[in-house]
Amino acid sequence: MFEIGNSLREARIRRGIEFPQAEAAIKIRGKYLRALEEEQFELLPAETYVKGFLRTYAEYLGLDGQLYVDEFNSRFVTGEDNEARRARTRRSTTARPQRRSRRTETNVVLIALAAIAIFTVIVISAWKTSGNPATVTKTNANAPHVTPALFSFTALHGTTHVIARNTSATGAIRYDGTVQKGDSAVAIRGKRLWVAIDSPENLRIQVRGKRMHVPGLRPRVILVTATGWRPA
């Protein structure tokens, strides 16, 4: 057991780093870095941010980021936090039948529309063939190309809480929720995303439509761009 805040402060002072310098390097506000050193974790937005900021700041100072996250979990993550997480899971489970019902209704409507479209195409094709045998169907070469979403994910098993923000940890929230196996895929568009994931191994992740593997069953914070992902 060690003092998280004092250890961070000593490492920063030993390296001759001031808060503005650290803030510019890792894109975390100086007031949050000061809160980490003073162990005022309640000043940070949420527990996920505490872990992500703690890991990033410790590694920036040349320390073992995972060691600091483990120490935070052992000292500050209480049974109440676990109960709140279980409550979120129960709410998500309760909402699943309603989502499945809506999904079923949507599928029925889509199937009916598809059948009508196919029938219409057959009738038009038969009419054109009988009225003008020499007609040649041309392919529209100018059809728009749909670019896959920057970041998409689906739960493979278990439940996982995900927070996605524009550009950095202080950007606008694009997604904040818990997913579990059976839920629909979540797709987020943009150019650069800051993403905090409770259990990456529970997710199937794609970047611009390409499957990506983010290892680990512990919380991770990553930066996602069009070329892939990297630790934040």
Side-chain angles (χ1 to χ4, degrees):
M1 180 174 178
F2 62 93
E3 294 294 330
I4 295 175
N6 288 337
S7 178
L8 292 172
R9 184 182 301 105
E10 291 173 1
R12 177 177 59 80
I13 295 174
R14 185 167 58 250
R15 295 169 69 94
I17 298 173
E18 299 295 334
F19 285 122
Q21 180 183 351
E23 179 178 353
I26 58 178
K27 304 299 187 266
I28 299 177
R29 291 184 178 179
K31 67 177 184 179
Y32 293 146
L33 300 180
R34 191 184 303 276
L36 292 176
E37 292 189 2
E38 295 176 357
E39 295 191 6
Q40 295 180 334
F41 302 119
E42 68 278 3
L43 299 181
L44 278 76
E47 180 184 307
T48 302
Y49 288 93
V50 176
K51 297 176 183 179
F53 289 175
L54 192 57
R55 184 194 305 275
T56 300
Y57 190 33
E59 292 178 353
Y60 168 70
L61 297 175
L63 306 171
D64 185 347
Q66 186 58 51
L67 180 64
Y68 282 76
V69 172
D70 291 341
E71 182 66 17
F72 172 79
N73 287 334
S74 66
R75 290 174 55 195
F76 297 99
V77 177
T78 65
E80 293 179 358
D81 297 323
N82 294 330
E83 180 61 29
R85 188 169 297 159
R86 286 195 293 269
R88 288 199 304 268
T89 301
R90 287 196 295 269
R91 289 196 299 270
S92 178
T93 302
T94 303
R96 285 180 64 189
Q98 183 177 1
R99 289 200 300 270
R100 288 181 177 176
S101 176
R102 291 177 179 174
R103 193 179 303 131
T104 300
E105 294 175 358
T106 301
N107 289 339
V108 171
V109 172
L110 291 176
I111 291 172
L113 291 175
I116 293 173
I118 292 172
F119 178 75
T120 303
V121 170
I122 292 173
V123 171
I124 293 174
S125 298
W127 177 79
K128 287 185 176 181
T129 301
S130 61
N132 188 5
T135 300
V136 177
T137 302
K138 296 183 179 180
T139 302
N140 184 3
N142 296 321
H145 174 70
V146 179
T147 302
L150 175 61
F151 182 66
S152 59
F153 55 90
T154 307
L156 294 175
H157 45 75
T159 60
T160 301
H161 187 233
V162 179
I163 300 175
R165 288 178 172 268
N166 276 336
T167 307
S168 67
T170 58
I173 294 178
R174 299 296 304 280
Y175 177 85
D176 185 351
T178 300
V179 295
Q180 62 183 5
K181 184 177 181 181
D183 288 350
S184 301
V186 177
I188 306 171
R189 296 188 175 276
K191 295 182 179 179
R192 175 185 169 99
L193 294 173
W194 180 96
V195 183
I197 310 172
D198 275 1
S199 302
E201 289 286 358
N202 287 348
L203 300 180
R204 176 186 290 111
I205 292 173
Q206 291 185 329
V207 177
R208 282 285 188 254
K210 294 182 180 180
R211 178 78 177 273
M212 297 285 178
H213 180 232
V214 180
L217 290 172
R218 294 180 177 273
R220 294 202 66 173
V221 179
I222 63 175
L223 289 177
V224 181
T225 64
T227 59
W229 69 272
R230 64 180 176 82

